[in-house]
Structures are given as structure tokens and as C-alpha cells.
Amino acid sequence: MSLIQPIVPLLLAVFLMMGGTGALTTIVSVRLDAAGAPPILLGALTAAYYLGVTVGSTQAFRLVGQVGHIRAFSASATVLVAATLGHTLGADPAAWIALRLVEGCCMAGLFVCIESWLNQSATSATRGQILALYMIALYGAQGVGQYLMVIDDPHGFKQFVIVSILVSLALVPVALSRTAPPLLQKLESVRIGHLYRASPLGLAGTVISGLVVGAFYGLGPVYVRHLGYDLGQSATFVSAAIIGGMLLQWPFGKLSDLIDRRLVLVGLFAALAVISIGMTMLPESGFGPLLAGISLFGGIIFAIYPICVSHTNDFLTPAEMVPASGGMVLGFSIGAIAGPFLASLVMAVFEQDGLFLFSALVAIVALAFALWRMTVRPPVPLDQRLPFLPQAPIPGPLDGVTPGVEKSGNGIGEEEPEAEPSRL
């Protein structure tokens, strides 16, 4: 109880925030699709959100450093509420793309506030437990939030109002928290070239993860709607993928502690290719098999990112891991911006099956790269690895803005050796 009590307000804020915003991507995609928008426009909508996340992540820590966690969180949430309500003013695609860009920037600010605060609240002994609770709140709320889509909304504004209410309520536990926010220290820059040299497969894997996850979030709800299923079944479909990711991330990750992590990634890429091709055939079997397939699909795609981070960390010093985490999120963000666009082009040719044909193609390319990397580099000995911890590609300091790292001016890897690696 002593572990949980100080972070309850933050976890409650995460749950309320993700309970609302977790459904927003699904809602806007389904609405524009119902209005006859082509797949490439839906891809642009999701890409705009992740572009906003990327841009916002480069500035969020500066904002927190200038005004503090609570004010930065409040400002980000307020603008997010305004942008969400902006969708009720009309369904102009260009305006919605601009709103999604703003919403992505705001989400980056919210996550940076929560993550840095939780990170400073954790110790080496409690970090794993805090991270597990954080992932449960994050993925659980996102999965449950999908059912906002089924709310009867004849006038087109009720769903956006409910999302705005939930985000507004997330302000309350943060504003009333008795736990003092952490102080941010000087900042370190991220060198992507150094990160790639440390682990080409790790960095490439985060991009692969972003390609597939971004495409699924933006176009998955459209896929299931085009199969003729109703809004409730569409919400269940997306939720099953998210919950599958929450449940399967840990066992896949723990397996990577026991054998060569690259072998686990090879298995995941191969499984992703197979299940993606299978998803193009499952609709003929009914909704039950389709739901089972998407749960496994979600378990695979959400496990790739944290295993790639763990694999990369195996080649870094403890002091390098803190600023390098921002580079890994940047890799994911690049993939998540490109993925919806590329998948929409495939869907324009192959209709709804194009989403999973795209993920199968990406998986095959990733599999070939992973097999090649296994031939040119020996595995990291088991006794030199850090244990796996579940993670989500949460917006982080893409320019290296990470709390608790003193800037040395010499690049990654030259901070004080006793610096504790961030795991949140």
C-alpha cells in the first residue's frame, strides 16, 4: 500500500485521460470513413496525430521546466479539451487533420508530465511494480475507452463531449495531489547515429513497430467496419488488440530474458507475417475467430517495441539508457507517421485486406533484416543483460530532455556512471 498510495492520483489521471483519448482516434476514423473519406485521408489523419506527438515531445520538457508539472499538465489538458470539442464544429477533413496535430502535441505534454513524475517516484526496488501498474492503467483504459464509440450520437457531438469531460476530470487528481512533483535537472541530447551503431536491429525494430501500430490504430476500426460489423463489434475488435498487447507483452519479454532476444524478434516477425496473412482469411469464419486473430495480432505488435528497447539497452551503459530512450521513441514515431500513409495506399488497391497485407510485407522485411543481423553479431551473454520490463512507446524527450541526467556536453554515454536508467 505504501508503494501505491503516492502514485494513485497519477494512475487515476492516466486512466481517465486514456479512457477518453484512447477512443478518439477510433471515433474520428470511423466518422470520416462513414462520410466517404478515402483511405489515404484516414491515413493522413493518424499521421498528423503522431507528427503532433513527435513535435510536442521535443518541447514538452522545456514547458515543464519553465512552469512545473502541474501547470504544464493543466495547460496541455485544457488545449486538448478545446481541440477535441473543435471536432463538433464540422467534419471538414483539413480542419480535423489540424486538430489531430494539436491533439498529438497535447498528448505528448501530458505523457511527459506523468512519466517524468512517476519516474522520479520510483526506486530501483519499486520501478518494476510501478511500471506494471502504469501499463495496466494505460492499456486497460484505452481498451475500455473504445466503447465510447457505441454511444448513440445523433447530433454528432456527444462522443466528443464525453472525451472532453474525461480529460477534464484527469486534471483533478493531478491538481490535488499531495505528492510533490520532481525537479527537472539539466538535459542531454540524443544521437540517433550512436544509437543505431549500438543496435541496428533495436532501432530498426522500433520503426517497424511504429509502422504497424500506427497503421492499425488509424485504419483498424475502418477495416472491421468495412466487413459489415456494427459499432459495438468494432469497439470490441480494437479493444481485443489492445488487451492482447497488454497480456502478451510480459511473457514474450520474459522469454527474451532466457534466450537470444533477436531470436524472439525473429519469431515475432515471422508470427506477424503469418497472422497478418491469416487475418485476410478469417473474416469468412465469423466474428469469433476474427477476434481471436486480432488479439494475437495485438499481442505481437505491442511486444516488438519493448523487446527492441531491451535489446538496445543490452549494448548500452546504464548512463546511456536514459537519453537513448528518447531516440527509441523517435524511431517509433517516425514509423507511426509513415505507417498510416503507406497502409492507406495498399488499402486503396486491396480494400480492407490491404491493412494486413501491409503489415505482412513489413514483417517479412523486418524478418530478413533480423536474420541478417544474427549472422554478423554474436548474442549478448545472459549475465550481461538487464531484465525485461514492459513498456509502451510513450512520448518522451526526443531531444534528450530527460529528468535526472546531468548534461556533460560530451554526448551519449558520458554521464555520471552511477546514473540510474529510466524504466518508465
Side-chain angles (χ1 to χ4, degrees):
M1 188 65 183
S2 59
L3 165 67
I4 299 176
Q5 188 172 2
I7 64 171
V8 164
L10 302 180
L11 295 178
L12 180 57
V14 170
F15 191 85
L16 290 168
M17 182 176 69
M18 292 307 298
T21 61
L24 196 53
T25 297
T26 303
I27 291 170
V28 296
S29 295
V30 168
R31 291 225 180 173
L32 282 185
D33 177 66
I40 192 168
L41 181 57
L42 302 178
L45 200 71
T46 306
Y49 171 78
Y50 282 107
L51 178 60
V53 168
T54 304
V55 173
S57 296
T58 65
Q59 303 300 321
F61 263 86
R62 290 191 177 91
L63 176 63
V64 175
Q66 291 170 357
V67 303
H69 284 72
I70 294 176
R71 288 175 179 168
F73 188 93
S74 300
S76 298
T78 301
V79 176
L80 178 58
V81 167
T84 301
L85 292 175
H87 291 286
T88 67
L89 301 178
D92 178 67
W96 278 29
I97 288 174
L99 289 172
R100 291 302 283 159
L101 180 69
V102 173
E103 288 158 7
C105 290
C106 294
M107 287 301 296
L110 293 172
F111 274 122
V112 163
C113 291
I114 291 291
E115 184 181 343
S116 61
W117 198 336
L118 283 173
N119 187 57
Q120 292 295 319
S121 301
T123 65
S124 297
T126 64
R127 196 174 301 279
Q129 296 168 282
I130 288 178
L131 182 57
L133 293 171
Y134 181 43
M135 291 296 100
I136 291 171
L138 182 76
Y139 283 126
Q142 192 174 15
V144 173
Q146 299 303 315
Y147 289 94
L148 291 178
M149 188 167 56
V150 307
I151 293 174
D152 183 39
D153 196 2
H155 301 294
F157 63 80
K158 186 180 295 185
Q159 293 169 340
F160 296 113
V161 170
I162 293 175
V163 170
S164 300
I165 290 172
L166 290 172
V167 174
S168 298
L169 290 176
L171 280 166
V172 177
V174 172
L176 298 181
S177 174
R178 296 182 179 181
T179 303
L183 296 176
L184 296 184
Q185 301 179 15
K186 293 184 180 179
L187 315 172
E188 180 56 68
S189 62
V190 169
R191 295 180 180 178
I192 298 299
H194 176 92
L195 195 56
Y196 180 80
R197 288 190 295 272
S199 177
L201 178 58
L203 183 59
T206 64
V207 178
I208 295 297
S209 175
L211 284 168
V212 179
V213 172
F216 173 76
Y217 271 137
L219 300 170
V222 175
Y223 164 85
V224 73
R225 288 289 287 160
H226 282 196
L227 294 178
Y229 292 107
D230 61 28
L231 289 175
Q233 291 168 313
S234 300
T236 300
F237 179 85
V238 178
S239 180
I242 295 170
I243 300 302
M246 181 178 70
L247 296 178
L248 294 181
Q249 188 180 125
W250 183 269
F252 283 138
K254 296 310 288 184
L255 178 62
S256 75
D257 283 343
L258 304 176
I259 62 176
D260 188 350
R261 294 198 204 276
R262 298 173 301 178
L263 192 58
V264 177
L265 287 172
V266 163
L268 288 174
F269 293 143
L272 178 58
V274 171
I275 193 63
S276 295
I277 294 173
M279 287 297 296
T280 66
M281 306 173 185
L282 282 177
E284 300 178 1
S285 303
F287 189 66
L290 189 67
L291 208 60
I294 201 61
S295 298
L296 181 57
F297 179 86
I300 292 170
I301 65 174
F302 288 112
I304 292 172
Y305 176 84
I307 293 177
C308 287
V309 172
S310 294
H311 177 63
T312 302
N313 284 342
D314 289 338
F315 296 97
L316 301 175
T317 66
E320 289 177 313
M321 295 173 195
V322 178
S325 64
M328 303 299 283
V329 175
L330 176 58
F332 177 89
S333 299
I334 291 171
I337 293 169
F341 265 127
L342 298 176
S344 68
L345 296 177
V346 182
M347 290 182 73
V349 178
F350 297 98
E351 297 183 339
Q352 67 267 12
D353 287 344
L355 173 61
F356 292 104
L357 291 176
F358 168 75
S359 63
L361 177 61
V362 169
I364 291 170
V365 173
L367 175 62
F369 184 73
L371 289 171
W372 171 68
R373 288 303 307 169
M374 291 185 70
T375 67
V376 298
R377 192 178 205 176
V380 178
L382 290 176
D383 60 354
Q384 295 180 21
R385 300 183 195 173
L386 287 174
F388 170 87
L389 286 175
Q391 300 183 51
I394 299 303
L398 302 187
D399 60 348
V401 187
T402 307
V405 181
E406 292 290 345
K407 186 172 183 178
S408 65
N410 296 320
I412 286 182
E414 299 181 18
E415 295 83 11
E416 296 178 1
E418 66 272 18
E420 186 180 71
S422 172
R423 284 295 181 186
L424 288 174

